[in-house]
Amino acid sequence: MTGDSALQRPGAAPFTERTPRVVAARKLTRRAEREKTGRFLAEGANAVEAALEDGTVYELFVTERAAAQHERLVAVAREAGVAVSPITDRAADGLSETVTPQGIVAVCALVDRPQETVLKPGAKLVVVLVDVADPGNAGTVIRVADAAGADAVVLAGDSVDPHNGKCVRAAAGSLFHPAITRIRDVDAALKACSAAGLRTFGAHGYADTELDQVTFDEPTAWVFGNEAHGLPQGVLETVDLAVKIPMYGRAESLNLATAAAICVYTNAMASRTATT
């Protein structure tokens, strides 16, 4: 199958930026429209592939160039009964929030789930983000959680919408793998973790306990705070243990995504070693 035949839609030209379905999809770059419709955009081959494997895809928009590059994804979408709609390059620009659009965008169902289906006994490793504002950081942490085998990611408080375009791209397909839930009340999120049998560790640069002093012999929820301000004092008083990453060089601190990667992977590797 060639890119041209993969997009064959007899008697029809590619959709333009003015085509109603493209106009409707473009509105999904806004959070209010995503929440209203229950849909979001997943742009790029990695995100589209993960969406087709693990999510619900309503429509796939693809340029002629992208169809030629990603023939297999177009074929998979068609076999799954997903509407495949050819679009112009200009239409692709309108659906993208990047400088160089990839030309392949899926309209998907929102991935977040009710907390009671996510935070329940049996979970071994959970990542909680509290008031995390940067979508790139949130997406990267979701990708880290996925790579480390975490069961779930909780976006608590005023954390960014995980369906934000920058977050979706940073997650690189991982948005569809660990269970994701949003809990507005931070205290309720921490209580739900404890009720699920998870010991809560709060990442804090001024904690007394260092990461290499921690024993990972229980199911754990790692709690990370805002990029600029860290965890609120109330959260630090609520978690079971505040933990800091030791600094052996002269850097004062690590950014959120790096800190999360170190903490979550240290936990995951220690847990796997203990069970083998």
Side-chain angles (χ1 to χ4, degrees), residues 56-103:
T56 299
V57 179
Y58 298 105
E59 186 166 11
L60 181 66
F61 293 104
V62 62
T63 64
E64 183 177 358
R65 173 182 55 82
Q69 293 176 336
H70 306 294
E71 292 182 16
R72 184 182 62 81
L73 290 182
V74 172
V76 168
R78 286 196 182 283
E79 290 168 5
V82 175
V84 177
S85 300
I87 55 174
T88 63
D89 289 338
R90 190 165 179 177
D93 289 344
L95 295 176
S96 175
E97 297 176 79
T98 65
V99 177
T100 54
Q102 294 189 41

Side-chain angles (χ1 to χ4, degrees), residues 41-205:
L41 299 180
E43 181 188 2
N46 288 338
V48 169
E49 181 171 21
L52 289 170
E53 289 179 353
D54 300 293
T56 299
V57 179
Y58 298 105
E59 186 166 11
L60 181 66
F61 293 104
V62 62
T63 64
E64 183 177 358
R65 173 182 55 82
Q69 293 176 336
H70 306 294
E71 292 182 16
R72 184 182 62 81
L73 290 182
V74 172
V76 168
R78 286 196 182 283
E79 290 168 5
V82 175
V84 177
S85 300
I87 55 174
T88 63
D89 289 338
R90 190 165 179 177
D93 289 344
L95 295 176
S96 175
E97 297 176 79
T98 65
V99 177
T100 54
Q102 294 189 41
I104 183 166
V105 183
V107 178
C108 308
L110 299 184
V111 299
D112 58 320
R113 294 160 44 185
Q115 72 174 64
E116 59 271 16
T117 68
V118 172
L119 295 175
K120 53 186 179 180
K124 301 297 183 183
L125 180 59
V126 170
V127 176
V128 182
L129 300 181
V130 176
D131 299 335
V132 170
D134 184 89
N137 277 334
T140 301
V141 174
I142 290 171
R143 188 176 183 181
V144 165
D146 180 23
D151 299 284
V153 176
V154 179
L155 291 109
D158 291 323
S159 288
V160 67
D161 176 10
H163 307 98
N164 173 288
K166 187 175 181 180
C167 183
V168 176
R169 291 191 300 277
S174 289
L175 192 69
F176 297 91
H177 297 159
I180 293 177
T181 189
R182 290 187 276 181
I183 305 176
R184 182 72 176 178
D185 187 323
V186 177
D187 186 56
L190 297 178
K191 287 181 178 178
C193 287
S194 296
L198 296 159
R199 188 183 184 196
T200 53
F201 291 159
H204 178 50

